[in-house]
Amino acid sequence: MNNLEQNEVDEYLKSLLEEMAPKAKSLIITFFGDTVFPYGGTIWLGSLVKFMEEFEISEKLTRTSIFRLTKEGWLSSKKFGRESYYSLSDLAIDRFIKAHYSVYAYNEQENDKDWIVILTNMVEVTKELELSKILKKEGFANPSKHVYIHPHYKMEYMQDILLQNKLQNEVLLIKGPIHMPMTKEVIKDMAHTYWDLKDVEERYQDFITKFRKVFTLKTPIDQFTPKQCFMLRVLLIHEYRRALLFDPKLGNDLVPIDWLGKASSSLVESIYAFIHNSANIYVKENLLTVGGNIPKLDKFYFNRFGGIK
């Protein structure tokens, strides 16, 4: 790649970063999930600072963000001599494993055709308000008082939520298929009544607009430098993760044929396949953990998007 081509890619990444304006804490979480987690989950603070500087996040802001993430329970820290190392907490690991299926296996919920219905009549008002916030973030609809529904949600995740909030004996949890003589069209119309899919579509459209530009550059994507591939990968997953937060993940039966969630998933998978190996070259050159070692990439990593090479 000549200097002109390299500058073109750098300019695209710079404009992408300016447009996204990611918050330091949130970007660090994305970085841990996409990059540090598959390499053992631990990183030397100095190494983390260097990675974040690529995204114009200062050392001071990185240190402040790390302190807050540790205080909030996302990270745990250890000291060896004067050096600090940060790892994912047990709580964060559980969340990252769950996020893996959301980010890197978008269509996996299609395997489960059962609906979950939660009845909260017996839950105290303040507890239900908190539970309601959690369930809505997880994509549940609230069609009527004390009722929450979702067409594709893993039962083990639901049980974890109830256990963490000590509500396992205060709600009625029902799981099963819809048996009423309802056509797919009727169910789909019902879903559009309960879930605001227009806002989600707009977020996906914005994501697609940002990242499909990578294929319009004069420089082919397979000629990006390792550093450029690394930066693109982190920004790609970060912005995709932000769009996914608002997607209730209703499954193909309940969304339009041209649903942009599927288009976004395909775009992420396509870009990721082109850049992940080159990005890992840059990671291996800069990711340092205890004793200055670079751990091997976990085999679990290669399950992303149904299997990457």
Side-chain angles (χ1 to χ4, degrees), residues 20-292:
M20 288 171 55
K23 294 182 179 179
K25 274 175 57 180
S26 183
L27 190 68
I28 289 172
I29 287 294
T30 297
F31 172 70
F32 261 90
D34 187 70
T35 304
V36 181
F37 186 43
Y39 276 100
T42 300
I43 187 171
W44 171 50
L45 178 58
S47 183
L48 176 61
V49 166
K50 181 176 179 180
F51 278 116
M52 289 301 104
E53 284 176 346
E54 304 295 2
F55 301 96
E56 299 179 6
I57 295 173
S58 68
E59 179 177 351
K60 182 180 179 181
L61 184 52
T62 294
R63 288 178 178 273
T64 301
S65 300
I66 285 292
F67 172 78
R68 289 175 179 169
L69 287 168
T70 303
K71 194 173 182 181
E72 291 168 8
W74 283 94
L75 301 175
S76 60
S77 64
K78 285 185 179 180
K79 275 206 163 191
F80 293 89
R82 299 176 62 184
E83 307 291 353
S84 296
Y85 297 85
Y86 287 86
S87 305
L88 297 168
S89 66
D90 290 340
L91 174 63
I93 289 173
D94 289 340
R95 290 177 177 176
F96 278 121
I97 290 173
K98 179 181 174 183
H100 169 87
Y101 293 103
S102 177
V103 175
Y104 303 104
Y106 180 80
N107 289 318
E108 282 214 359
Q109 74 269 19
E110 292 296 307
N111 298 327
D112 188 351
K113 299 296 182 182
D114 289 345
W115 283 64
I116 281 185
V117 179
I118 305 167
L119 304 179
T120 58
N121 307 60
M122 303 298 292
V123 180
E124 186 214 343
V125 175
T126 53
K127 284 187 175 181
E128 180 169 3
L129 284 173
E130 190 59 34
L131 179 62
S132 179
K133 291 177 184 177
I134 295 169
L135 293 177
K136 286 176 181 177
K137 282 184 179 180
E138 292 296 306
F140 279 78
N142 182 202
S144 60
K145 193 174 181 181
H146 305 307
V147 178
Y148 301 85
I149 61 174
H150 196 285
H152 299 288
Y153 196 80
K154 291 181 181 293
M155 178 60 85
E156 57 265 37
Y157 295 163
M158 190 67 254
Q159 291 170 335
D160 286 344
I161 289 172
L162 296 178
L163 286 169
Q164 288 168 13
N165 291 275
K166 299 179 180 178
L167 293 171
Q168 65 272 25
N169 297 318
E170 297 181 38
V171 305
L172 181 60
L173 189 58
I174 303 168
K175 182 174 172 64
I178 292 179
H179 288 297
M180 292 179 64
M182 301 170 71
T183 66
K184 285 186 178 181
E185 287 70 26
V186 171
I187 297 174
K188 190 177 288 188
D189 288 343
M190 178 184 70
H192 282 250
T193 300
Y194 295 151
W195 284 276
D196 180 11
L197 298 180
K198 184 179 178 183
D199 177 64
V200 181
E201 283 263 86
E202 289 175 354
R203 292 177 187 276
Y204 277 133
Q205 182 62 70
D206 182 56
F207 169 80
I208 291 169
T209 299
K210 284 187 178 84
F211 285 93
R212 67 183 175 191
K213 289 178 182 177
V214 75
F215 293 112
T216 67
L217 301 176
K218 293 179 181 178
T219 308
I221 192 170
D222 59 1
Q223 293 182 22
F224 288 12
T225 67
K227 176 182 171 181
Q228 290 169 341
C229 287
F230 162 73
M231 291 187 66
L232 177 59
R233 189 176 74 174
V234 172
L235 293 175
L236 175 77
I237 294 302
H238 185 71
E239 192 72 352
Y240 183 51
R241 187 170 69 88
R242 289 204 297 189
L244 279 173
L245 286 174
F246 298 89
D247 186 348
K249 302 176 189 69
L250 303 182
N252 290 332
D253 289 346
L254 298 181
V255 295
I257 294 175
D258 58 351
W259 174 242
L260 291 181
K262 291 183 285 187
S264 297
S265 176
S266 295
L267 179 61
V268 173
E269 183 175 347
S270 176
I271 295 175
Y272 209 94
F274 274 114
I275 66 175
H276 81 98
N277 280 324
S278 185
N280 283 332
I281 292 172
Y282 183 77
V283 172
K284 288 175 183 177
E285 291 174 349
N286 295 280
L287 193 156
L288 296 177
T289 183
V290 181

